[in-house]
Amino acid sequence: MDTSISHLISSEAKRQSEVLEMIPSENYASSDVRAAVGSVFMNKYAEGQAMKRYYQGNSVVDELETLCKSRALRLFGLSEAVWGVNVQALSGSPANLAIIAALLEPGEKILSMYLPDGGHLSHGWQLPDKKITLVSKIWDITFYHVDTSTRLFDYDAIAAQAREVKPKLLISGGTAYPREIDHKRMSEIAHDVGAYYLADVSHEAGLIAGGVNASPFLYADVVMMTTHKTLRGPRGAMIFSKKELSAAIDQSVFPGIQGGPHEHTIAGIAVALEEAHSEGFKAYARQVVTNAQVLANYFVSAGLDVVSGGTDKHLVLIDLRSINASAWVVAWALEFANIIVNRNTVPFDTGSSVYPSGIRLGTPAITTRGMKEEEMKKIGVWIMDVIHLVKDMHLPEEKAERLAFIAQTKKEFAQHHELRAIADRVKSLCAAFPLP
Ligand SMILES: Cc1ncc(COP(=O)(O)O)c(C=O)c1O
């Protein structure tokens, strides 16, 4: 084995086991999933669809991909007569690109959620004066916003905007929206103006599979999900589409934007789909949400501005402006206390994507370790302790001063007595809940 890399793998394994991994899009795949991803399937080229390949030697791969697809349909209770599924997209962003390219001609209109309100880059993110994503360079993007006071979807406003914009595609879903989306209403808004409705449930996939979040399948034309977040599989994506759209989507994935599918990943996805089709996984999904709600309630009671006042899902978004704390400082202080969250934009953010005003934290990974309500209470207190310790530290506005502050602050945090004490407590808790 390459000693440099095996050393890095051991270091990362140690890091993952000793911290509270609270980034909502992360999870711990099982050892069976990881074994499948590391299997001999990685050696095989398999361009095309099962039984319609461009390379020889694909009889076993065909069986694998067919099984993976049937497990995907079974998990979400879908009939093969109505739905098709593509399991070849390399990840969520290429999956969204493939869907858009299949459904729209270049230049046609998309209505999607504004990124700083909780949307996703791959839904066509652009600035007023700069096209950031390829999607925004090819298609005509308009964003909808959450309501200024509730910070929730305002369906009447989205409907009015859809009537005005007349998009060909309406997209829901995002990275930092803590509440359930009304898929029925979104599909009506789309269909009333002749648009397709794409539900991107990358974050909620495992919660939908586990029956704790509502399914979009009754309403959406296309459902995209990544496989590595709450669904707890390897990094990848699945695109479910109404049968009449499936051939175009398959062709858009390959040869439209990709070459050979990663069959080793498809093997890992198939394992994860079987694991998710169990009572144990339903209990896991329920606990993920319960844990997030315990944390959200605690933060509300501690006086923090929890966006939307709570959560229906696996994630909690906190706007730190109400206590005048810096999200950069808080996120780094938490990291030195062995609690990994990410700084994130919040609705109507006055900061930037690098220095936003909020932190986003989630429970999928720590729930996989077996942590429950009792542990959430401890974690909530530690997070509040860290926030109180650093809340008066602010990033300077001026760039050179800011860089000096960042370097100095990280050094101080590494020596910080109280942060180190919390880090030790976190490590002891983690030791009692080993990784899968
Ligand atoms: C809603 C949503 N869509 C798409 C993606 C993109 O997935 P990937 O990072 O696999 O490209 C993400 C990832 O964070 C996401 O949250």
Side-chain angles (χ1 to χ4, degrees), residues 25 90-96 118-123 172-176 200-204 224 226-229 235-237 360:
S25 36
L90 299 179
S91 218
S93 301
N96 278 333
H120 191 260
L121 278 167
S122 62
H123 301 171
S172 76
T175 58
D200 178 346
V201 295
S202 291
H203 269 266
E204 303 83 358
M224 197 289 285
T226 52
T227 45
H228 45 273
K229 301 186 176 82
R235 308 194 84 81
R360 181 183 74 141

Coordinates of all heavy atoms in Angstrom, one line a residue, residues 25 90-96 118-123 172-176 200-204 224 226-229 235-237 360, ligand 1:
S25 N -25.1 17.7 4.9 CA -25.0 16.9 3.7 C -24.0 15.7 3.8 O -23.8 15.0 2.9 CB -24.5 17.7 2.5 OG -23.6 18.7 3.0
L90 N -22.9 11.1 -12.3 CA -21.8 10.9 -11.4 C -22.0 11.6 -10.0 O -21.3 11.3 -9.0 CB -20.5 11.5 -12.1 CG -20.1 10.8 -13.3 CD1 -18.9 11.4 -14.0 CD2 -19.9 9.3 -13.1
S91 N -22.8 12.6 -10.0 CA -23.2 13.3 -8.7 C -24.4 14.2 -9.0 O -24.9 14.2 -10.1 CB -21.9 14.1 -8.2 OG -21.9 13.9 -6.8
G92 N -24.7 14.9 -7.9 CA -26.0 15.7 -8.0 C -25.9 16.8 -9.1 O -26.9 17.0 -9.8
S93 N -24.8 17.5 -9.1 CA -24.7 18.7 -10.1 C -24.8 18.2 -11.5 O -25.6 18.7 -12.3 CB -23.5 19.5 -9.8 OG -23.5 20.0 -8.5
P94 N -24.0 17.2 -11.9 CA -24.1 16.7 -13.3 C -25.5 16.1 -13.5 O -26.0 16.2 -14.7 CB -23.0 15.6 -13.4 CG -22.4 15.5 -12.1 CD -22.8 16.6 -11.3
A95 N -26.1 15.5 -12.5 CA -27.5 15.0 -12.7 C -28.5 16.1 -13.1 O -29.3 16.0 -14.0 CB -28.0 14.3 -11.4
N96 N -28.4 17.2 -12.3 CA -29.2 18.4 -12.6 C -29.0 18.9 -14.0 O -29.9 19.3 -14.8 CB -29.1 19.5 -11.6 CG -29.9 19.2 -10.3 OD1 -30.9 18.5 -10.4 ND2 -29.5 19.7 -9.2
G118 N -31.3 29.4 0.4 CA -31.2 28.0 0.7 C -31.3 27.1 -0.5 O -31.3 25.9 -0.4
G119 N -31.2 27.7 -1.7 CA -31.3 26.9 -3.0 C -29.9 26.2 -3.2 O -29.1 26.1 -2.3
H120 N -29.7 25.7 -4.5 CA -28.4 25.1 -4.8 C -27.8 25.7 -6.0 O -28.5 26.0 -7.0 CB -28.6 23.6 -4.9 CG -27.2 22.9 -5.0 ND1 -26.7 22.5 -6.1 CD2 -26.4 22.6 -4.0 CE1 -25.5 21.9 -5.9 NE2 -25.3 22.0 -4.6
L121 N -26.5 25.7 -6.0 CA -25.7 26.2 -7.2 C -26.2 25.6 -8.5 O -26.3 26.3 -9.5 CB -24.2 25.8 -7.0 CG -23.3 26.6 -6.1 CD1 -22.1 25.8 -5.8 CD2 -23.0 27.9 -6.8
S122 N -26.4 24.3 -8.5 CA -26.7 23.6 -9.8 C -28.0 23.9 -10.3 O -28.4 23.5 -11.4 CB -26.5 22.1 -9.6 OG -27.5 21.7 -8.6
H123 N -28.8 24.8 -9.6 CA -30.1 25.2 -10.2 C -30.0 26.5 -10.9 O -30.9 27.2 -11.1 CB -31.1 25.4 -9.0 CG -31.4 24.1 -8.2 ND1 -32.1 24.1 -7.1 CD2 -31.0 22.9 -8.4 CE1 -32.1 22.9 -6.6 NE2 -31.4 22.1 -7.4
S172 N -37.6 22.9 -7.3 CA -37.6 23.1 -5.8 C -36.4 22.3 -5.2 O -35.9 21.4 -5.8 CB -38.9 22.7 -5.2 OG -39.0 21.2 -5.1
G173 N -36.1 22.6 -4.0 CA -35.1 21.9 -3.3 C -33.9 22.7 -3.1 O -33.7 23.7 -3.8
G174 N -33.1 22.4 -2.1 CA -32.0 23.2 -1.8 C -31.1 22.6 -0.7 O -31.3 21.5 -0.3
T175 N -30.2 23.4 -0.2 CA -29.2 22.9 0.7 C -29.5 23.4 2.1 O -28.9 22.9 3.1 CB -27.9 23.5 0.4 OG1 -27.9 24.9 0.3 CG2 -27.4 23.0 -1.0
A176 N -30.3 24.4 2.3 CA -30.5 25.0 3.6 C -31.9 25.5 3.9 O -32.1 26.5 4.6 CB -29.5 26.2 3.8
D200 N -35.8 18.5 -6.5 CA -34.4 18.0 -6.1 C -34.5 17.8 -4.6 O -34.4 18.7 -3.8 CB -33.4 19.2 -6.5 CG -32.0 18.8 -6.1 OD1 -31.8 17.8 -5.3 OD2 -31.1 19.5 -6.5
V201 N -34.5 16.5 -4.3 CA -34.7 16.1 -2.9 C -33.4 15.5 -2.4 O -33.4 14.5 -1.5 CB -35.9 15.1 -2.6 CG1 -37.2 15.8 -2.9 CG2 -35.7 13.8 -3.5
S202 N -32.2 16.0 -2.9 CA -30.9 15.5 -2.5 C -30.8 15.4 -1.0 O -30.3 14.4 -0.4 CB -29.8 16.4 -3.0 OG -29.8 16.3 -4.4
H203 N -31.2 16.4 -0.3 CA -31.0 16.4 1.2 C -32.0 15.5 1.9 O -31.7 14.9 2.9 CB -31.2 17.9 1.7 CG -29.9 18.6 1.8 ND1 -29.1 18.6 2.9 CD2 -29.2 19.2 0.9 CE1 -28.0 19.2 2.7 NE2 -28.0 19.6 1.4
E204 N -33.2 15.4 1.4 CA -34.3 14.7 2.1 C -34.4 13.3 1.7 O -35.3 12.5 2.2 CB -35.7 15.4 1.8 CG -35.7 16.9 2.2 CD -35.2 17.8 1.1 OE1 -34.7 17.3 0.1 OE2 -35.2 19.0 1.3
M224 N -34.8 14.3 -8.5 CA -33.4 14.0 -8.5 C -33.0 13.9 -7.0 O -33.5 14.7 -6.2 CB -32.6 15.1 -9.2 CG -31.1 14.8 -9.6 SD -30.0 14.6 -8.2 CE -29.7 16.3 -7.7
T226 N -29.3 13.1 -4.5 CA -27.9 12.5 -4.4 C -28.1 11.3 -3.4 O -29.1 11.2 -2.7 CB -27.0 13.6 -3.8 OG1 -27.5 14.1 -2.6 CG2 -26.7 14.7 -4.8
T227 N -27.1 10.5 -3.5 CA -27.2 9.2 -2.7 C -26.4 9.2 -1.4 O -26.4 8.2 -0.7 CB -26.8 8.0 -3.6 OG1 -25.5 8.4 -4.3 CG2 -27.8 7.7 -4.7
H228 N -25.6 10.3 -1.2 CA -24.7 10.3 -0.1 C -25.0 11.1 1.1 O -24.2 11.3 2.0 CB -23.3 10.7 -0.6 CG -23.4 12.0 -1.5 ND1 -23.6 11.9 -2.9 CD2 -23.2 13.3 -1.2 CE1 -23.6 13.1 -3.4 NE2 -23.4 14.0 -2.4
K229 N -26.2 11.7 1.1 CA -26.6 12.5 2.3 C -27.4 11.7 3.2 O -26.9 10.7 3.8 CB -27.3 13.8 1.8 CG -26.4 14.6 0.9 CD -27.1 15.9 0.5 CE -26.2 16.8 -0.3 NZ -26.2 16.5 -1.8
R235 N -21.1 8.6 -2.8 CA -21.4 9.8 -3.5 C -21.9 9.4 -4.9 O -21.2 8.7 -5.7 CB -20.1 10.6 -3.7 CG -19.4 10.9 -2.4 CD -18.3 11.9 -2.5 NE -19.0 13.2 -2.4 CZ -19.3 13.7 -1.2 NH1 -19.0 13.1 -0.1 NH2 -19.9 14.9 -1.1
G236 N -23.0 9.9 -5.3 CA -23.6 9.6 -6.6 C -25.0 10.3 -6.6 O -25.3 11.1 -5.8
A237 N -25.8 9.9 -7.6 CA -27.1 10.5 -7.8 C -28.0 9.6 -8.5 O -27.6 8.7 -9.2 CB -27.0 11.8 -8.5
R360 N -25.0 26.3 9.6 CA -25.9 25.3 9.2 C -25.4 24.0 9.9 O -24.2 23.7 9.8 CB -25.9 25.2 7.7 CG -26.8 24.2 7.1 CD -26.7 24.1 5.6 NE -25.5 23.4 5.2 CZ -25.3 22.6 4.2 NH1 -26.3 22.3 3.4 NH2 -24.2 22.0 3.9
Ligands
LIG1 C1 -30.2 20.2 -3.3 C2 -28.9 19.8 -3.9 N1 -28.8 19.5 -5.2 C3 -27.7 19.1 -5.8 C4 -26.5 19.0 -5.1 C5 -25.3 18.7 -5.8 O1 -24.7 17.5 -5.5 P1 -23.1 17.1 -5.7 O2 -22.4 17.9 -4.6 O3 -23.1 15.7 -5.6 O4 -22.8 17.6 -7.1 C6 -26.5 19.2 -3.7 C7 -25.3 19.0 -2.9 O5 -25.1 19.7 -1.9 C8 -27.7 19.6 -3.1 O6 -27.8 19.9 -1.8

